[in-house]
Amino acid sequence: MKIVTFAKHVPSSVVTPRIAHSGDRIDEDGLSHEVNEADLYAIEEALYQRSLHKGSVTAITIGPGRAKEALHIAYAKGVDQAIQVVDEALRGVNPVLNVMAAAKVVKKLEYDMIFAGIQAEDDLQGQFGIGLAEALGIPAVTAVTEIRASPGEKVATVMRELGGGFKEEIEVDLPCLLTIQFGIRRLRYTPVMAIVRSRSRKIEQVTVESLAIPTEGLQGNAPLRVMKLSYPEDGGRCELIRGSAEEAARKLVHKLVEAGVV
Amino acid sequence: MDHALVPAREVFRHFPALLVVAFYLISVVAVGVFAYGLWLRIRKYCAGRPANRFDLMWRRILGAAWTIGGQVTLRKRDSYAGWAHALIFWAFAGLFIGTLIIMVDHDFLRPITPALQFWKGTFYLWNSLILDLMGVGLLVGLGMMATRRWRFGLAQLDYSRPDRNPGEYSRLGYVRDDQVFLWGLFVIGATGFLIEGLRICADRPPFEVWSVVGWQLANGIDALGLSPATASRLHLYIWWLHAVLALAFVAYIPYSKAIHMLVDMANLLFRDELAGKRLPGIADGAAAMGYRGLADFTWKELMDLDACTKCGRCHIACPARAGGWPLSPRDLILDLREHAEATLGGRSWLHETRVRQVHGAVAGGLIKGETLWACTTCLACVEACPVGIEHVPLIVQMRRTLIEEGILDRNLQDVLEKLAHYGNSFGEPGHNRAKWTQGLPFKVTDARTEPVDFLWFVGDYASYDPSLQEITRSVARIFRKAGLRFGILYEAERNSGNDVRRVGEEGLYQLLAGHNVAALARAQFKEIVTTDPHSYNTIKFEYPAFGATYSVRHYTEVIRELLETGRLPVRRRLDAVVTYHDPCYLSRYTEVTDAPRAILQALGLTLIEMGRNRSNSFCCGAGGGRIWMTDAGAAERPSVQRIKEALQIPRVTYFVVGCPKDVTMFRDAVKTTGNEGRLQVKDLIELVEEAIGSDGDSCVADVS
Ligand code: SF4
Ligand code: SF4
């Protein structure tokens, strides 16, 4: 079974992001990046499926030069092939461009299934997988929590968890696209050495430009535009009530009444 | 005959020529079997990966000669076994040399010309006396060992395994091997005396009074009413029994635990003094880190496996075993040995039966993951092993394989990921590392921008753990009070990597250590002082591999000096009974055991030692990354066992430690056992501050 997965290189929480002067994006300077966690689950699941059905797993990233690191990690996890779509202009953050670029690349590959993370941590859009399935004309199932594939019969049974513990079982024809829910299986540890070793492995690179994607409608004149980013509002305030136990309790009740809680 | 005048004896007394030939034939066969067995073992070691253990050869030789000659490691902490072994060792060596003398005299010198022979006259008499005494030593030593082994009921000699159910294995082979070895030697020694007695009884050469034991035996035989003729005939039979047993023993050596006589000498000669303290790196371009199979073992490690005598000293010292985890360093070595013997040859005749088949990697297969993860890398096994076996590097190598395979505790995985992202095990942003300093009335110098004398490497726990930060501030206040020019690296400091390396995550270790080395290179300082003994170890012994050699001290060493030179005057002598727990990384690893004790004394405290102290300290259970793992053992936690050990001391009020992880572990143990009222866990620095006074003023007039 041949599986295609994606690894988006997103800012990590180690460094708190700062909003760029333009106000519509975050400043790349000083950021540190990591692989989008949901994508890691998709890759982990793909590797698990490969262990059951043989075949291969390909990982693709779309982003600027640094995004290569996401593929080193994918290699360290155990994927067989890695492709980077080099996007210096939009740095892999434009969902529309990402879908179009991915569709172009995937069309040249053989695949039975495509696993995408349920959403990306940086924009939380959750549209990439669905958009890609649409562009490729294959069925998509979202938020999958369990996969039983029968590549011979070209069909898979997948499970989705609905709210309140309800579950839904879906049968889907292959090839298909599944967006993978967090926690589908435990992420195995990736040793630093494995990442270092995989730095010397081959990454196929194609540039966005070479894919001849129509760029009108992607930047300034796009039908959908980010207008402004803003910092989180200061969270609740914390106040220390001093004094003896009774005194403090009295003050507390007073404050609660004041605040209209009681 | 003139031999009645010159003291001597016939080697083959009254033997027909045919029997003499038969004796030589059997000897050749025995030596042949011995040589073959030895060759099998040597061939096995030669198949191992290279390891450089040929440096400083003279030091090695002298060191090994001292250890072996003085039976130093054997006598340590077990004088009974040590002296019994010393008796056997020296007697065996003496008797062996005695036999060699006869061989040289009779088989080499005599054929050249009898005029060269020296085994006669006065030499013969002294030789007889000494060898008789050696024989007694051998039998007494063996008798002591037999009593110890089969009468004392010692835990270290119990072969049951903590990691298997009783039905899953049989170690009867080990028991038989012990019996054959001990009783075999005993019978050989006893028959040696018997033939001497019979010969003296038959011939009564007057000078043989020098063979003190033989002479008395002859008297005894006389008293039994045996005629000289019968004694003479019996002598022939017993002589053959003795000879055949002795030669069979020679043949038996390389196929049994008796091989320890040779392998262990070599093992002590080639041991690494820094085993465990300085772990091996990873070869450039290695396909994967760690040990997947025997092909990854170095020749010294293969030799280690054969060297084990099953003495069990490591087994009883191990905190993981004591805490009910499925790890015994002895069994780990024995499992690997059985595997190596079965795969690479050079096998003992009597061994463990029903050994598990190995599939896949040795780590996680033959040696279970739980077993490897149980180790606290406390080094007690390496320290206790009388024959220089190096368990800890092996365990870490196998852990590296587990890390590669992703077989690790979930919590540990989280912590490693935090360390990779944030550079500390708490998953806190780097800029919070020096937040603890905000509670100080002064600013701690930033060693990145200002030169200092002491660069204080604070460590993760002391920096981030809110319950330890007051202790950390205490160190800062005392340093300031003494007028030290000290500084810290602020957010440029990372976890030192000591325990990350011992977990087996070598790549992450390299990252962390590389980062620290680079940060240290940008600072100007004279020496490093650490609060954390774990950091101390890796900075001292392992950072030099990054091309960075520093002078490092633990804060207790610095404070001792300050107290002794009067730079820190004790204002209020403390009056309490305390006990001191030696942290593994401060006692066994970096060998700092005097400084903390000197401080306690200077403060006026009464120190009463626990039974296990200094290099024999008992681990709190936190080392080697164990503090990040959650699996529980089947018995009482080591920290709880240790607290109970301390509580046996009458009137003890403080349990003093010198390691931030110890404070955490033992405060928890005191709390969970409900002993808060009886025993208080104190970091040394807290007591120092109590005695020195905690006001912010400096004792030195001019600080900066
Ligand atoms: S280092 Fe300590 S815990 Fe590990 S095997 Fe040796 S004695 Fe046991
Ligand atoms: S490893 Fe060393 S200490 Fe442990 S049983 Fe073997 S010889 Fe004894």
Side-chain angles (χ1 to χ4, degrees):
Chain A
M1 190 160 69
K2 293 197 162 65
I3 306 173
V4 175
T5 62
F6 292 87
K8 191 173 185 185
H9 206 217
V10 297
S12 81
S13 54
V14 175
V15 182
T16 314
R18 277 171 302 127
I19 298 169
H21 280 308
S22 60
D24 59 348
R25 58 193 171 85
I26 57 170
D27 194 350
E28 278 255 335
D29 281 352
L31 276 186
S32 92
H33 291 82
E34 63 187 8
V35 182
N36 178 36
E37 193 183 357
D39 292 345
L40 290 176
Y41 283 104
I43 293 173
E44 198 71 59
E45 182 61 24
L47 294 168
Y48 175 72
Q49 293 297 331
R50 184 187 66 183
S51 75
L52 299 180
H53 304 291
K54 302 276 179 302
S56 64
V57 177
T58 301
I60 302 174
T61 195
I62 303 166
R66 59 161 167 78
K68 230 180 20 226
E69 181 66 15
L71 296 177
H72 295 150
I73 289 166
Y75 264 138
K77 296 242 167 225
V79 306
D80 306 280
Q81 188 192 7
I83 303 171
Q84 181 185 14
V85 177
V86 184
D87 172 17
E88 296 293 353
L90 295 176
R91 304 175 323 280
V93 296
N94 186 307
V96 185
L97 177 89
N98 287 354
V99 166
M100 290 198 281
K104 291 247 180 189
V105 175
V106 172
K107 269 186 192 147
K108 292 193 201 128
L109 302 171
E110 281 177 51
Y111 61 90
D112 301 291
M113 289 200 185
I114 300 173
F115 292 174
I118 189 165
Q119 66 187 27
E121 273 154 34
D122 54 353
D123 59 18
L124 296 186
Q125 297 252 19
Q127 356 178 337
F128 174 76
I130 303 161
L132 179 58
E134 189 64 27
L136 293 170
I138 57 173
V141 185
T142 56
V144 170
T145 54
E146 196 187 323
I147 300 168
R148 272 170 283 135
S150 314
E153 282 103 71
K154 293 261 159 223
V155 67
T157 308
V158 302
M159 201 71 93
R160 305 177 69 231
E161 256 167 41
L162 311 175
F166 283 92
K167 283 185 181 176
E168 182 179 36
E169 192 178 296
I170 293 181
E171 197 175 79
V172 55
D173 292 340
L174 305 189
C176 66
L177 186 143
L178 309 177
T179 72
I180 306 295
Q181 181 58 287
F182 285 93
I184 186 165
R185 69 185 57 255
R186 185 181 158 184
L187 293 180
R188 278 167 314 145
Y189 182 68
T190 315
V192 173
M193 278 284 182
I195 301 172
V196 173
R197 283 196 300 267
S198 54
R199 291 209 179 114
S200 58
R201 294 188 62 181
K202 184 173 172 287
I203 291 175
E204 286 170 46
Q205 286 183 318
V206 284
T207 55
V208 178
E209 294 76 32
S210 73
L211 292 174
I213 296 168
T215 48
E216 70 276 5
L218 280 183
Q219 265 167 311
N221 53 350
L224 173 154
R225 295 166 294 276
V226 176
M227 299 308 293
K228 184 166 168 279
L229 290 174
S230 41
Y231 286 103
E233 273 173 31
D234 235 352
R237 272 171 306 129
C238 163
E239 197 176 325
L240 200 63
I241 301 175
R242 292 175 197 279
S244 72
E246 300 104 274
E247 203 184 321
R250 219 170 324 113
K251 279 190 202 160
L252 175 66
V253 173
H254 184 71
K255 297 245 177 212
L256 291 175
V257 173
E258 227 174 17
V261 183
V262 258
Chain B
M1 281 193 285
D2 61 9
H3 76 255
L5 306 170
V6 183
R9 69 175 151 91
E10 233 185 303
V11 173
F12 298 108
R13 183 178 169 276
H14 308 335
F15 272 30
L18 206 63
L19 276 188
V20 175
V21 173
F23 173 77
Y24 279 107
L25 273 181
I26 299 174
S27 305
V28 169
V29 171
V31 172
V33 174
F34 168 82
Y36 179 68
L38 193 61
W39 178 72
L40 287 181
R41 301 234 181 210
I42 293 173
R43 190 183 61 174
K44 175 164 64 182
Y45 310 146
C46 290
R49 266 195 318 121
N52 181 20
R53 297 292 174 95
F54 298 100
D55 53 336
L56 308 169
M57 228 27 214
W58 275 111
R59 236 180 89 181
R60 285 180 179 280
I61 292 169
L62 291 177
W66 173 254
T67 309
I68 297 165
Q71 302 275 288
V72 178
T73 49
L74 280 152
R75 289 189 290 109
K76 186 171 69 182
R77 282 185 222 125
D78 191 344
S79 1
Y80 181 97
W83 284 109
H85 191 276
L87 277 176
I88 300 171
F89 172 82
W90 279 112
F92 189 90
L95 293 165
F96 180 70
I97 293 168
T99 314
L100 276 187
I101 289 173
I102 300 179
M103 197 174 99
V104 169
D105 185 84
H106 183 267
D107 299 336
F108 298 131
L109 300 180
R110 196 179 55 117
I112 302 172
T113 158
L116 284 175
Q117 286 184 274
F118 61 91
W119 189 56
K120 59 187 177 192
T122 318
F123 180 83
Y124 175 83
L125 295 178
W126 278 106
N127 192 57
S128 299
L129 174 66
I130 292 169
L131 291 194
D132 259 31
L133 295 177
M134 296 275 179
V136 173
L138 178 70
L139 295 186
V140 169
L142 288 168
M144 285 172 75
M145 283 301 207
T147 318
R148 174 178 182 270
R149 182 172 287 276
W150 290 298
R151 284 284 167 272
F152 287 6
L154 297 175
Q156 60 262 50
L157 297 178
D158 178 350
Y159 287 152
S160 47
R161 310 180 50 140
D163 61 335
R164 304 265 191 95
N165 295 323
E168 291 173 359
Y169 66 97
S170 163
R171 287 189 155 174
L172 207 61
Y174 291 168
V175 176
R176 293 266 180 278
D177 201 19
D178 296 335
Q179 287 165 335
V180 172
F181 182 47
L182 204 159
W183 294 125
L185 273 180
F186 195 91
V187 174
I188 291 169
T191 50
F193 275 130
L194 196 55
I195 49 180
E196 186 175 51
L198 287 166
R199 177 175 57 80
I200 294 171
C201 178
D203 300 345
R204 279 290 170 191
F207 56 80
E208 286 289 8
V209 286
W210 284 80
S211 299
V212 278
V213 181
W215 190 265
Q216 294 308 327
L217 264 175
N219 292 348
I221 294 165
D222 266 348
L224 286 175
L226 223 63
S227 72
T230 320
S232 183
R233 216 176 34 256
L234 260 181
H235 171 265
L236 181 74
Y237 300 141
I238 305 290
W239 191 97
W240 273 100
L241 178 65
H242 176 76
V244 167
L245 279 176
L247 290 171
F249 181 78
V250 169
Y252 174 74
I253 290 174
Y255 307 93
S256 68
K257 72 180 291 185
I259 191 63
H260 84 267
M261 297 189 284
L262 299 173
V263 170
D264 290 3
M265 288 196 201
N267 214 52
L268 285 167
L269 178 67
F270 293 119
R271 84 167 147 193
D272 176 7
E273 280 176 5
L274 293 182
K277 303 179 183 183
R278 185 190 53 199
L279 290 170
I282 305 254
D284 279 342
M289 56 178 187
Y291 280 13
R292 297 188 54 81
L294 290 170
D296 298 318
F297 283 52
T298 68
W299 61 266
K300 172 60 173 59
E301 285 161 339
L302 292 172
M303 196 188 237
D304 266 357
L305 306 184
D306 279 2
C308 177
T309 57
K310 315 182 202 80
C311 74
R313 293 181 188 219
C314 59
H315 180 77
I316 51 164
C318 179
R321 190 206 55 92
W325 279 273
L327 165 66
S328 151
R330 173 197 72 190
D331 295 342
L332 180 111
I333 294 293
L334 292 175
D335 271 349
L336 290 167
R337 172 206 283 190
E338 295 283 355
H339 179 49
E341 288 190 344
T343 323
L344 304 173
R347 188 159 211 193
S348 306
W349 280 329
L350 292 164
H351 49 85
E352 178 168 312
T353 40
R354 278 182 260 169
V355 190
R356 197 172 358 168
Q357 293 301 308
V358 207
H359 306 286
V362 164
L366 175 74
I367 309 296
K368 292 189 218 162
E370 306 97 272
T371 300
L372 293 168
W373 286 127
C375 176
T376 69
T377 67
C378 74
L379 212 63
C381 47
V382 176
E383 209 270 339
C385 182
V387 301
I389 292 171
E390 297 157 6
H391 317 66
V392 173
L394 257 185
I395 290 174
V396 172
Q397 288 284 19
M398 289 189 280
R399 281 181 166 188
R400 287 175 179 171
T401 301
L402 296 181
I403 290 282
E404 284 271 3
E405 309 263 303
I407 307 170
L408 65 160
D409 181 278
R410 187 145 208 174
N411 206 56
L412 173 62
Q413 176 168 343
D414 285 350
V415 172
L416 291 178
E417 279 159 3
K418 281 180 194 157
L419 280 158
H421 280 115
Y422 300 95
N424 65 74
S425 55
F426 290 77
E428 291 254 356
H431 57 79
N432 281 354
R433 182 172 280 274
K435 227 175 166 178
W436 61 268
T437 58
Q438 290 172 6
L440 287 170
F442 54 89
K443 184 169 175 343
V444 177
T445 308
D446 186 340
R448 295 170 300 177
T449 52
E450 255 181 81
V452 291
D453 294 337
F454 290 92
L455 188 129
W456 178 12
F457 195 95
V458 187
D460 274 13
Y461 272 79
S463 300
Y464 284 110
D465 189 328
S467 63
L468 296 171
Q469 286 168 344
E470 195 47 42
I471 293 175
T472 315
R473 281 191 283 270
S474 197
V475 176
R477 286 191 294 263
I478 295 291
F479 279 178
R480 181 174 164 93
K481 210 167 167 120
L484 295 189
R485 287 210 317 153
F486 72 99
I488 61 175
L489 288 174
Y490 284 82
E491 63 260 40
E493 184 185 306
R494 294 282 185 281
N495 180 294
S496 70
N498 184 75
D499 297 60
V500 171
R501 187 170 218 198
R502 276 144 190 87
V503 152
E505 188 15 330
E506 183 66 11
L508 183 53
Y509 170 71
Q510 304 274 342
L511 276 186
L512 293 167
H515 185 100
N516 282 326
V517 167
L520 288 166
R522 285 192 296 271
Q524 267 188 59
F525 58 91
K526 295 200 180 113
E527 65 176 312
I528 297 179
V529 56
T530 69
T531 7
D532 171 29
H534 298 241
S535 306
Y536 185 178
N537 177 68
T538 194
I539 294 173
K540 177 169 178 169
F541 292 122
E542 301 185 310
Y543 279 18
F546 294 82
T549 308
Y550 314 100
S551 149
V552 202
R553 281 197 287 170
H554 188 244
Y555 83 83
T556 53
E557 294 172 276
V558 176
I559 288 189
R560 175 198 193 169
E561 193 183 288
L562 296 173
L563 285 168
E564 286 178 354
T565 54
R567 283 176 78 184
L568 271 183
V570 175
R571 286 206 201 143
R572 190 164 78 83
R573 283 174 69 81
L574 306 177
D575 176 30
V577 175
V578 305
T579 192
Y580 174 69
H581 163 81
D582 290 273
C584 305
Y585 277 85
L586 200 58
S587 52
R588 278 186 284 271
Y589 276 83
T590 49
E591 297 178 28
V592 178
T593 53
D594 290 336
R597 289 175 170 79
I599 296 175
L600 291 172
Q601 203 190 6
L603 302 184
L605 293 158
T606 312
L607 169 67
I608 300 187
E609 299 280 1
M610 288 179 274
R612 294 177 284 186
N613 57 59
R614 298 191 186 246
S615 63
N616 188 29
S617 186
F618 186 67
C619 179
C620 72
R626 282 291 326 166
I627 202 164
W628 302 320
M629 296 178 224
T630 47
D631 58 312
E636 227 163 39
R637 282 180 296 148
S639 53
V640 170
Q641 295 181 26
R642 189 65 164 161
I643 289 296
K644 291 195 172 162
E645 185 177 354
L647 281 170
Q648 282 163 13
I649 300 172
R651 295 186 303 114
V652 65
T653 46
Y654 295 143
F655 183 93
V656 185
V657 297
C659 167
K661 289 192 184 88
D662 273 339
V663 178
T664 307
M665 296 299 285
F666 289 120
R667 286 206 170 141
D668 184 54
V670 167
K671 204 188 286 169
T672 50
T673 53
N675 280 307
E676 284 149 303
R678 289 181 62 195
L679 192 65
Q680 253 186 300
V681 177
K682 287 268 186 198
D683 193 281
L684 255 171
I685 200 71
E686 297 179 275
L687 297 171
V688 171
E689 194 164 31
E690 241 183 277
I692 306 291
S694 59
D695 57 278
D697 318 336
S698 165
C699 308
V700 183
D702 173 26
V703 188
S704 52

